[in-house]
Amino acid sequence: MSAKAWSGRFSQPTDALVEAFTESISFDARLADVDIRGSRAHARMLSEVGLLTTEEFQAIDRELESIGGLIVDGKMEFRTELEDIHLHIESELVARLGDVGRKLHTGRSRNDQVSTDLKLYTRDAIDHLDLQLQELQRAFVRRGPDDLDVILPGYTHLQRAQPVVATHYWLAYCEKFQRDRDRLADCRRRVNISPLGAAALAGTSLPIDRRRTAELLGFEAPALNSLDVSSDRDFLVEFTAALALIAAHLSTWAEEWILWNTTEFGFLKLPDSFTTGSSIMPQKKNPDVLELVRGKAARVIAAAQTLFVLIKGLPLAYNRDLQEDKRAMFDALDTVAACLAIAPSIVAGAQLQRDAIAARLDDGFLDATVLMEYLIARGIPMRTGHEVVGRLVAECEGRGCRLAELPLADLQQASSLIQEDVFGVLGAKNAAAALISEGSGGPARVGERLAAWQQRLGVDAPG
Ligand code: ARG
């Protein structure tokens, strides 16, 4: 058994319970790749400033690369007594290079090292998530042209409100996921500042070059307060909060499609390959995947909460509490990445039940608001128009008919300003077509937005 990297001032071995309690190798081994990238940059810089000879650097660099390969191949044995990934890699290096390996940790601490690793890891994760979010947006946009002629009820309070083009729904999700992408990009700017060389908390008396390691690792700049950056985890709070919003957006989509897939709504058929059956009820086809997308959001939101609570009241600088950051962040990341990996296929494979939608589209007075606006356009004060149409709706409910089924004479009874042309706005399809304001759900505006999204995402317009 090798002595601990920090065993010098201890006279008794660490209790086995303590080793088991304090280890992080069981969950930080996935930092191996970024840890080695960070160490190789650090070693290169050390050689450039004269703290390592060229030969020492070359040996360290070569062995670090080889240790990386060993870990990728699953051939490194992880041991609780070596605590974490950083000490595993360093002790393997020392086993191979002896005193030369013992020089790698010059001018740094595990505190700036783990923070550097986390930032490199988070940066890669952001870049991957951005591609995944873009794929999901593309899946929605690819549906756009086909679904442009389907009118759906829009709801508020889950009550039928006004009609919109189906594609308006798809592009609503594109907007949400775009904000998520923008948020990640913004978070990335703060992630991309290098902690390396902040050392334990105070920097170092050795002539290290922090700008050089920042540059080698693709960071924008070194962070300029060692006390702050050696323990800063703001970036993980931001990152998991951004993940939580992605998860929340995904859960809204999942919930909506779960509802639409019910017999009661009958708007949507989910693809067989993305639904599951019941072990007792032979007829069932359940939206379990969407339910899990909805449910997993709870874990992600909790992770953001965990990180927030973790940093609350923590004194400067590094405290071991921070080791808990990784579990929460990795879980949130894995959960969102798994949801994003499966979502585009569901979006692409779902079928709108056009006939069922059309059969009931004129239920629920989706055209009432546009009728009111018809009156407003002819000079009636808005509140008066609201009352007039409200009375007409009540009248229809009494008669069991739709607004478009009222005789013109009855409509004119309610307001003399109503003319024959009112039938051009009545009915859900006409009412949808009448929506013309910028960003509205009518076919003309949605068509414009669809073209803009196609261009933005590089999705070919059909035909
Ligand atoms: N495993 C530790 C973590 O993940 C690494 C940093 C340990 N630093 C220390 N001073 N004990 O936070």
Side-chain angles (χ1 to χ4, degrees):
M1 193 170 49
S2 56
K4 290 205 155 40
W6 40 262
S7 62
R9 58 108 63 233
F10 289 80
S11 54
Q12 288 180 328
T14 316
D15 192 286
L17 281 173
V18 173
E19 285 183 339
F21 190 72
T22 56
E23 66 85 26
S24 56
I25 187 61
S26 58
F27 53 91
D28 70 13
R30 62 194 283 180
L31 292 175
D33 175 60
V34 286
D35 194 69
I36 284 172
R37 271 154 62 191
S39 287
R40 291 177 75 181
H42 182 68
R44 182 178 294 274
M45 176 279 291
L46 290 178
S47 75
E48 288 170 1
V49 301
L51 287 166
L52 288 176
T53 66
T54 306
E55 295 70 41
E56 286 170 337
F57 160 63
Q58 283 167 349
I60 288 174
D61 196 54
R62 184 187 65 229
E63 293 309 324
L64 282 174
E65 187 179 15
S66 146
I67 292 168
L70 192 76
I71 296 174
V72 168
D73 295 343
K75 289 193 180 127
M76 179 180 268
E77 191 205 333
F78 293 128
R79 298 178 324 192
T80 308
E81 68 268 22
L82 280 177
E83 260 184 73
D84 58 24
I85 189 63
H86 325 292
L87 293 176
H88 273 80
I89 291 170
E90 193 184 339
S91 92
E92 177 66 21
L93 189 73
V94 172
R96 294 176 181 207
L97 295 177
D99 274 352
V100 173
R102 296 170 74 89
K103 293 187 175 185
L104 171 66
H105 211 50
T106 303
R108 75 172 185 189
S109 143
R110 271 187 296 154
N111 300 346
D112 57 334
Q113 186 180 358
V114 69
S115 179
T116 302
D117 289 6
L118 282 169
K119 284 190 154 185
L120 290 172
Y121 198 94
T122 303
R123 195 177 67 186
D124 287 351
I126 286 173
D127 294 344
H128 177 69
L129 288 164
D130 186 64
L131 293 175
Q132 287 194 301
L133 285 163
Q134 180 171 272
E135 265 324 293
L136 182 53
Q137 288 179 308
R138 285 195 175 127
F140 278 115
V141 167
R142 283 196 194 101
R143 293 196 65 105
D146 259 2
D147 298 338
L148 208 46
D149 61 346
V150 178
I151 310 293
L152 282 170
Y155 296 83
T156 63
H157 314 270
L158 217 48
Q159 305 289 311
R160 287 194 168 205
Q162 289 188 266
V164 296
V165 170
T167 304
H168 200 44
Y169 272 98
W170 312 160
L171 298 185
Y173 287 111
C174 284
E175 297 282 351
K176 290 183 190 301
F177 295 127
Q178 187 60 43
R179 289 196 298 278
D180 291 331
R181 291 178 66 188
D182 293 348
R183 239 183 307 276
L184 287 173
D186 183 54
C187 172
R188 194 186 193 284
R189 293 191 300 120
R190 283 174 292 281
V191 167
N192 209 25
I193 301 291
S194 178
L196 194 55
L201 77 164
T204 171
S205 60
L206 296 165
I208 60 169
D209 184 349
R210 297 192 56 217
R211 279 172 204 278
R212 180 68 176 137
T213 45
E215 174 188 271
L216 285 168
L217 293 168
F219 285 117
E220 191 61 38
L224 294 180
N225 186 305
S226 61
L227 199 55
D228 168 45
V229 78
S230 57
S231 63
D232 160 42
R233 293 294 183 275
D234 294 5
F235 70 97
L236 289 185
V237 176
E238 281 189 59
F239 178 51
T240 50
L243 289 172
L245 271 168
I246 297 171
H249 291 155
L250 286 167
S251 77
T252 293
W253 162 69
E255 165 67 1
E256 188 153 271
W257 281 27
I258 288 166
L259 285 172
W260 287 10
N261 186 57
T262 57
T263 307
E264 284 71 13
F265 269 80
F267 287 1
L268 200 72
K269 262 208 177 108
L270 294 171
D272 271 9
S273 46
F274 286 85
T275 46
T276 52
S278 157
S279 52
I280 178 165
M281 296 167 283
Q283 86 285 9
K284 292 293 291 287
K285 197 177 114 179
N286 294 327
D288 292 37
V289 175
L290 291 176
E291 290 166 49
L292 281 167
V293 168
R294 186 178 58 189
K296 283 171 189 286
R299 301 235 305 274
V300 182
I301 293 164
Q305 177 87 343
T306 296
L307 279 151
F308 233 128
V309 177
L310 192 65
I311 65 166
K312 185 242 170 233
L314 205 65
L316 291 171
Y318 181 85
N319 292 272
R320 194 61 174 267
D321 314 44
L322 293 176
Q323 180 167 288
E324 292 288 319
D325 61 357
K326 285 166 279 297
R327 293 178 189 272
M329 186 273 271
F330 289 149
D331 187 53
L333 170 61
D334 292 346
T335 304
V336 169
C339 293
L340 289 173
I342 203 164
S345 305
I346 299 177
V347 171
Q351 281 178 340
L352 282 178
Q353 300 298 90
R354 291 167 171 255
D355 295 343
I357 293 165
R360 296 190 45 218
L361 187 62
D362 279 305
D363 293 354
F365 305 101
L366 293 167
D367 48 0
T369 306
V370 162
L371 174 58
M372 175 189 72
E373 289 169 352
Y374 170 95
L375 295 173
I376 292 169
R378 280 154 189 79
I380 293 194
M382 185 273 172
R383 285 289 162 221
T384 312
H386 190 286
E387 253 175 62
V388 168
V389 177
R391 279 200 296 272
L392 284 171
V393 167
E395 178 66 28
C396 286
E397 277 184 332
R399 294 193 204 179
C401 74
R402 294 161 178 171
L403 286 167
E405 289 164 354
L406 288 174
L408 182 60
D410 293 4
L411 290 166
Q412 287 174 330
Q413 189 82 33
S415 167
S416 58
L417 290 171
I418 296 180
Q419 300 295 312
E420 182 73 37
D421 64 355
V422 75
F423 295 104
V425 299
L426 291 181
K429 201 172 158 83
N430 289 335
L435 299 169
I436 51 163
S437 60
E438 200 167 7
S440 64
R445 289 299 192 172
V446 175
E448 285 170 21
R449 292 301 304 143
L450 176 61
W453 277 109
Q454 285 169 328
Q455 201 188 15
R456 179 174 198 166
L457 297 171
V459 173
D460 289 337

